[in-house]
Amino acid sequence: MHSERVASRSAEPRDPRDSRESKNGTPQLDAVSLAIIEQLQEDGRRPYAAIGKAVGLSEAAVRQRVQKLLDQGVMQIVAVTDPLTVGFRRQAMVGINADGDLEPVADALTAMPEVEYVVMTAGSFDILAEIVCEDDDHLLDVINKRIRVLPGVRSTESFVYLKLKKQTYMWGTR
Amino acid sequence: MHSERVASRSAEPRDPRDSRESKNGTPQLDAVSLAIIEQLQEDGRRPYAAIGKAVGLSEAAVRQRVQKLLDQGVMQIVAVTDPLTVGFRRQAMVGINADGDLEPVADALTAMPEVEYVVMTAGSFDILAEIVCEDDDHLLDVINKRIRVLPGVRSTESFVYLKLKKQTYMWGTR
DNA sequence: CCCATGGCTGCGAAATCCGCAGGCTGCGAA
DNA sequence: TTCGCAGCCTGCGGATTTCGCAGCCATGGG
């Protein structure tokens, strides 16, 4: 044996259209694309041919799928680091409570370069936002002068990072 | 002109040892390595030659530096996705309060495959942990049966994700 | 002074990426 | 039914990139 096929090519109804969208607006992924993503979660630079062997596709097919996944914004292949080791002294998670529609608030946060991560949540915060800053002054400035003044924002609570212990991207690889 | 040098090669004191460590234990990075990381934050598959042109180094030198950065664990090149689009229905941030030394608690969290992100913080939570699960049952199980029973853990508070709005890795690129 | 170390360059050989033509399948229109 | 279209895959050269290695230079310790 040589290559465990993740999805047998002739078994399924032959419709790997990952272009169709669910009501959510996010593309629907078939098993093969999932397997490709899994490969790239282990190593973002793995050659297409190796991926093809693992998922049962030709090199060219893998290349086309990866390109589409990137274009669609389903995944991105990037270098990730611990910001603290790359010169950013202060990092914090900010919990936010706001009135009315949360979308505009979330969009405003998304537009800020210092904000790296924005998620709308259920619980005692409406929105969680992760912030990466150069130093304390910068952090204070972003929170007080840019976030707390956004229309609708009622209150915020900050959690300054002391130490990053884990950072993984290998869902699917377990 | 062709290639903006990020760091002139002959100007600096000629000591790009990124192997020396700060008291923190994290390697100290020079400007060139930072520039390389920046390039790979934009595109994790960018060819070494292109990076070299951008930062003023040969292809081979870039390759060696990247390899070292990966080996040292300073950065990782991976595909990142929104878990919700890849079949994981439930995701949550969990704020944790614990007694005594936090390290063992953080380590225990780090060891759980469902836990993707662990950070020790200052503020009304001692630790923040992000969890990726298949469904509600799975999430509940992890929080109640695995986290809340850890020795030292006093209380937890969960924030279930409703919608991921932003996810970036381009600090340095701004 | 001499040698060991670390980092960079340059260079072929091997592997990879890339674009393109062609084939197959499912589907909807005529 | 048949035709034509669209989506996806394969195979194949040519261009590019990756990879390993030998050699060079500067620094620093003995």
Side-chain angles (χ1 to χ4, degrees), chain B residues 4 10 15 20-21 56 70 78 87 101 112 116 124 130 132 135 146 148 153 155 160 165 171:
Chain B
E4 292 286 341
S10 42
D15 184 8
R20 87 189 137 186
E21 311 221 338
L70 294 174
V78 294
D101 188 6
M112 301 180 190
E116 178 215 332
S124 60
E130 193 179 52
V132 177
D135 52 41
R146 313 259 297 283
R148 299 182 67 105
V153 169
S155 65
V160 174
K165 292 286 290 186
W171 332 291

Side-chain angles (χ1 to χ4, degrees), chain A residues 94-102 105 109 123-127 143-144 146-157:
Chain A
V94 180
I96 299 170
N97 284 299
D99 298 313
D101 189 6
L102 298 174
V105 179
L109 291 166
S124 61
F125 292 125
D126 296 318
I127 295 175
I143 294 176
N144 283 333
R146 313 258 298 283
I147 294 182
R148 299 182 67 103
V149 299
L150 287 177
V153 170
R154 196 186 324 125
S155 65
T156 70
E157 182 167 355

